[in-house]
Amino acid sequence: MVSAWYMDKSDADQREDHRCNPDRPVRLEELEKKTGVLYFTIPVSEDGSSYDEEKLNKIRKDRGYSYQDEVDIARDTLPNYEEKLKHFFTEHIHSDEEIRLCVKGSGYFDVREPNTDDWIRIQLVPGDMIILPAGIYHRFTLDNKNYIKALRFFVGEPVWTPINRPADEHPARVDYLKNRNVKVGA
Ligand SMILES: CSCCC(=O)/C(O)=C/O
Ligand SMILES: [Fe+2]
């Protein structure tokens, strides 16, 4: 089950959990309200090879996801592993939603709370599906187990290109803030 929390400000290893002391958990409803991030749970088999197709199909159909593939992120399975991990952890936006379903392993998506610019860390474990809205500042890191396998979805032909911060003038960012009722420069 996905969990989320405000991150501490420590510059310790990105793979640590970076919980505050005392902990500042973020409930799912709060996460959605503050950031627009959506969450679904999809039952997945122990080895990650099968999942609840019926539940997933409904989400695919409702949201128009026509593309699907799988990423296996480990040192010996992902080409240019170090370079890709560096890119994943560089703060960025996309012009479209970023949709991931964790089927094996685990990892962290960090998203910026748009009013305060604080980082919220979202932990993905098998069965967790998250949808990051277009235009949200975010990044991804493996945790200290160094492994995740995830399904990726997209509407139409996939565009994975990250747009690194600063991207405040990008239409997806402008729309994101408008949708969240965030006043720029206020
Ligand atoms: C768990 S998927 C790897 C991270 C990724 O694809 C991405 O775009 C992060 O922003
Ligand atoms: Fe991304």
Side-chain angles (χ1 to χ4, degrees), residues 92 94 98 138:
H92 62 274
H94 300 280
E98 177 162 332
H138 69 280

Coordinates of all heavy atoms in Angstrom, one line a residue, residues 92 94 98 138, ligand 2:
H92 N 12.1 17.5 -12.6 CA 11.6 17.8 -13.9 C 10.1 17.7 -14.0 O 9.5 17.3 -13.0 CB 12.2 16.8 -14.9 CG 11.8 15.4 -14.7 ND1 12.6 14.6 -13.8 CD2 10.8 14.6 -15.1 CE1 12.0 13.4 -13.8 NE2 11.0 13.3 -14.5
H94 N 6.8 16.8 -17.0 CA 6.5 16.2 -18.4 C 5.3 17.0 -18.9 O 4.5 17.5 -18.1 CB 6.2 14.7 -18.3 CG 7.3 13.9 -17.8 ND1 8.3 13.5 -18.5 CD2 7.5 13.4 -16.5 CE1 9.1 12.8 -17.8 NE2 8.6 12.7 -16.6
E98 N 2.5 11.1 -15.9 CA 3.4 10.0 -15.8 C 2.7 8.9 -15.0 O 2.3 9.2 -13.8 CB 4.7 10.5 -15.1 CG 5.7 9.4 -14.8 CD 7.1 9.9 -14.5 OE1 7.5 11.0 -15.0 OE2 7.8 9.1 -13.8
H138 N 8.8 16.8 -10.2 CA 9.0 15.5 -9.5 C 10.4 14.9 -9.8 O 11.1 15.4 -10.7 CB 7.9 14.5 -9.9 CG 8.0 14.1 -11.3 ND1 7.5 14.9 -12.4 CD2 8.5 13.0 -11.9 CE1 7.8 14.3 -13.5 NE2 8.4 13.1 -13.3
Ligands
FE2 FE 9.3 11.9 -14.8

